[in-house]
Amino acid sequence: MRVLLVEDDEPVAESLRRGLIRYGFEVDWVTTGAAALAHSAPYDVVLLDLGLPDTDGLDVCKALRLRGSVPIIVISARSDETDRVVGLEIGADDYVSKPFGVREVIARIRAVLRRVQPPADASAGPDRYGPRLTLDRKAARVRLDGTEVALAPKEYDLLAFLTEEPGALMSREQIMEAVWDANWFGPTKTLDVHVAALRRKLAGAITIEAVRGVGFRLEIIDGPPAS
């Protein structure tokens, strides 16, 4: 996942860049609106500061939106409601006010991507994971051997998140931010409960390995169902 970061405040940008890289993102960092508009490498999401040295970030947002549908998240010290409304009206997908935490930004990125990606994949139909499991992200339905499996909302969200990268080790922190929210301060025991439910309901199609002190890894079982 590649991020175009448009931010002229070096300490803010470096902190955010390091945090994003730590979570597996690739980051292209530019410091001006002109550099953002001239950037030619592909990217999946834009983090755009409004207070740029050469131009108003709102103008950059508008220009980027005219070019395509890549998600744009505004990050700004401007907390005035008018700026928020204008930013969203000219094409921003979300707005984060400074000061902010890296985890909040990452949660916003994932939330925006979840909103914008399913329609693009809808024509491809349900995603298949091994011979037994299908996940219809458009309809939020899961089927095991062709039969729909009843999942609680957070069970579905957890499965959808873990199946985005089968085999990848996801930390508890990453999962809680993506499936619950960035401001979750309660115990993570609820995560274990939901993992246990998925293991039970989708036994034989997936495994969810617990890595002590880190998090969980979902693996797809490729063999046929047990007779």
Side-chain angles (χ1 to χ4, degrees), residues 51-68:
L52 300 173
D54 61 334
T55 186
D56 193 306
L58 290 173
D59 293 330
V60 178
C61 179
K62 186 176 181 179
L64 289 173
R65 177 51 66 232
L66 290 173
R67 294 183 178 185

Side-chain angles (χ1 to χ4, degrees), residues 70-116:
V70 173
I72 301 170
I73 300 176
V74 167
I75 52 175
S76 178
R78 303 180 190 177
S79 58
D80 185 82
E81 184 178 358
T82 301
D83 284 318
R84 289 174 175 267
V85 172
V86 172
L88 294 172
E89 285 184 345
I90 64 176
D93 296 274
D94 206 347
Y95 194 113
V96 183
S97 295
K98 297 178 181 179
F100 52 76
V102 172
R103 290 180 297 173
E104 178 185 1
V105 174
I106 291 172
R108 297 292 186 98
I109 290 173
R110 287 176 173 154
V112 165
L113 291 174
R114 283 197 298 271
R115 290 200 302 268
V116 302

Side-chain angles (χ1 to χ4, degrees), residues 10 30 47 80 89 100 125 133 141-142 174 185 192 199:
E10 184 172 349
V30 298
L47 298 179
D80 185 82
E89 285 184 345
F100 52 76
L133 180 67
R141 290 182 171 176
V142 175
Q174 287 175 291
F185 292 109
D192 298 270
R199 286 171 173 158

Side-chain angles (χ1 to χ4, degrees), residues 158 161-162 165-176 180 188-196 198-199 207-219:
L158 176 59
F161 176 69
L162 292 177
E165 294 185 71
L169 176 58
M170 299 295 184
S171 71
R172 285 178 171 270
E173 188 175 57
Q174 287 175 291
I175 297 170
M176 295 303 294
W180 279 263
T188 61
K189 186 66 176 177
T190 185
L191 173 55
D192 298 270
V193 173
H194 284 74
V195 166
L198 288 180
R199 286 171 173 158
T207 61
I208 303 178
E209 175 191 1
V211 179
R212 187 176 179 85
V214 183
F216 295 92
R217 178 188 291 112
L218 180 142
E219 299 280 2

